[in-house]
Coordinates of all heavy atoms in Angstrom, one line a residue:
G1 N 0.8 -1.2 0.0 CA 0.0 0.0 0.0 C 0.8 1.3 0.0 O 2.0 1.3 0.1
C2 N 0.1 2.4 -0.1 CA 0.7 3.7 -0.1 C 1.4 4.0 1.2 O 0.9 3.5 2.2 CB -0.3 4.8 -0.5 SG -1.2 4.5 -2.0
K3 N 2.4 4.9 1.2 CA 2.9 5.4 2.4 C 1.9 6.3 3.0 O 1.2 7.1 2.3 CB 4.2 6.1 2.2 CG 5.3 5.2 1.6 CD 6.5 5.9 1.2 CE 7.6 5.1 0.5 NZ 8.7 5.8 0.1
T4 N 1.8 6.3 4.3 CA 0.8 7.2 5.0 C 1.4 8.1 6.0 O 2.6 8.0 6.2 CB -0.3 6.3 5.7 OG1 0.4 5.4 6.6 CG2 -1.0 5.4 4.7
S5 N 0.6 8.9 6.6 CA 1.1 9.8 7.6 C 1.7 9.1 8.8 O 1.2 8.0 9.2 CB 0.0 10.7 8.1 OG -0.5 11.5 7.1
E6 N 2.8 9.6 9.3 CA 3.5 9.0 10.5 C 2.8 9.4 11.8 O 2.0 10.4 11.8 CB 4.9 9.5 10.5 CG 5.7 9.1 9.3 CD 5.9 7.6 9.3 OE1 6.7 7.0 10.1 OE2 5.2 6.9 8.5
P7 N 3.0 8.7 12.9 CA 2.3 9.0 14.1 C 2.6 10.4 14.6 O 1.7 11.0 15.3 CB 2.8 8.0 15.1 CG 3.2 6.8 14.2 CD 3.7 7.4 12.9
D8 N 3.7 11.0 14.3 CA 4.1 12.3 14.8 C 3.4 13.4 14.0 O 3.7 14.6 14.2 CB 5.6 12.5 14.9 CG 6.3 12.4 13.5 OD1 5.5 12.2 12.5 OD2 7.5 12.6 13.5
G9 N 2.7 13.1 12.9 CA 2.0 14.1 12.1 C 2.8 14.5 10.9 O 2.3 15.3 10.1
S10 N 4.0 14.0 10.7 CA 4.8 14.3 9.5 C 4.1 13.6 8.3 O 3.3 12.8 8.5 CB 6.2 13.9 9.7 OG 6.4 12.5 9.9
E11 N 4.6 14.0 7.1 CA 3.9 13.5 5.9 C 5.0 12.8 5.1 O 6.0 13.3 4.7 CB 3.3 14.7 5.2 CG 2.2 14.3 4.2 CD 1.4 15.5 3.8 OE1 2.1 16.6 3.6 OE2 0.2 15.4 3.7
Q12 N 4.6 11.5 4.7 CA 5.5 10.7 3.8 C 5.1 11.0 2.4 O 3.9 11.0 2.0 CB 5.4 9.3 4.1 CG 5.9 8.9 5.5 CD 7.4 8.4 5.4 OE1 7.9 8.1 4.3 NE2 8.1 8.4 6.5
L13 N 6.1 11.2 1.5 CA 5.8 11.3 0.1 C 5.7 10.0 -0.6 O 6.4 9.1 -0.2 CB 6.8 12.2 -0.6 CG 7.0 13.6 -0.1 CD1 8.1 14.4 -0.9 CD2 5.7 14.4 -0.1
D14 N 4.9 9.9 -1.6 CA 4.8 8.6 -2.3 C 4.6 9.0 -3.8 O 3.5 9.4 -4.2 CB 3.5 7.8 -1.9 CG 3.4 6.5 -2.6 OD1 4.3 6.2 -3.4 OD2 2.4 5.8 -2.3
R15 N 5.7 8.9 -4.5 CA 5.7 9.3 -6.0 C 5.0 8.1 -6.7 O 5.7 7.2 -7.2 CB 7.1 9.5 -6.5 CG 7.9 10.5 -5.7 CD 7.2 11.9 -5.6 NE 8.1 12.9 -5.1 CZ 7.7 14.1 -4.7 NH1 6.4 14.4 -4.7 NH2 8.6 15.0 -4.3
A16 N 3.7 8.2 -6.9 CA 2.9 7.1 -7.4 C 3.0 6.9 -8.9 O 2.6 5.8 -9.4 CB 1.5 7.2 -6.9
Y17 N 3.4 7.9 -9.6 CA 3.2 7.8 -11.1 C 4.2 6.8 -11.7 O 5.3 6.6 -11.3 CB 3.6 9.2 -11.7 CG 2.5 10.2 -11.4 CD1 2.5 11.0 -10.3 CD2 1.5 10.4 -12.3 CE1 1.5 11.9 -10.0 CE2 0.5 11.3 -12.1 CZ 0.5 12.1 -10.9 OH -0.5 13.0 -10.7
G18 N 3.6 6.1 -12.7 CA 4.4 5.2 -13.4 C 5.4 5.9 -14.3 O 5.3 7.1 -14.5
P19 N 6.4 5.2 -14.8 CA 7.4 5.9 -15.7 C 6.8 6.2 -17.1 O 5.8 5.6 -17.5 CB 8.5 4.8 -15.9 CG 7.7 3.5 -15.7 CD 6.7 3.8 -14.7
G20 N 7.3 7.3 -17.7 CA 6.7 7.7 -19.0 C 5.4 8.4 -18.9 O 5.1 9.1 -18.0
W21 N 4.6 8.3 -20.0 CA 3.4 9.0 -20.2 C 2.3 8.3 -19.4 O 1.4 7.6 -20.0 CB 3.0 9.1 -21.6 CG 2.2 10.3 -22.0 CD1 0.8 10.4 -21.7 CD2 2.5 11.5 -22.6 NE1 0.3 11.6 -22.2 CE2 1.4 12.3 -22.7 CE3 3.7 12.0 -23.1 CZ2 1.4 13.6 -23.3 CZ3 3.8 13.3 -23.7 CH2 2.6 14.1 -23.8
S22 N 2.2 8.5 -18.1 CA 1.3 7.8 -17.2 C 0.0 8.5 -16.9 O -0.9 7.9 -16.3 CB 2.0 7.4 -15.9 OG 2.5 8.6 -15.3
A23 N -0.1 9.7 -17.3 CA -1.3 10.5 -17.0 C -1.8 11.2 -18.3 O -1.1 11.2 -19.3 CB -1.0 11.6 -16.0
V24 N -3.0 11.6 -18.3 CA -3.6 12.1 -19.5 C -2.8 13.2 -20.2 O -2.7 13.2 -21.4 CB -5.1 12.6 -19.2 CG1 -5.1 13.8 -18.2 CG2 -5.8 13.0 -20.5
H25 N -2.2 14.1 -19.4 CA -1.4 15.1 -20.0 C 0.1 14.9 -19.6 O 0.8 15.9 -19.3 CB -1.9 16.5 -19.6 CG -3.2 16.9 -20.1 ND1 -3.5 17.0 -21.5 CD2 -4.4 17.1 -19.5 CE1 -4.8 17.3 -21.6 NE2 -5.3 17.3 -20.4

């Protein structure tokens, strides 16, 4: 699964995009 918020309230980044042309634009 995706990375989620840590107990201390900090925020984990999750670069979810696939390589290349993965989104409509």
Side-chain angles (χ1 to χ4, degrees):
C2 304
K3 298 173 185 177
T4 57
S5 298
E6 296 295 286
D8 63 0
S10 62
E11 201 165 41
Q12 292 266 342
L13 299 183
D14 182 3
R15 306 304 193 193
Y17 289 86
W21 204 285
S22 58
V24 61
H25 295 298

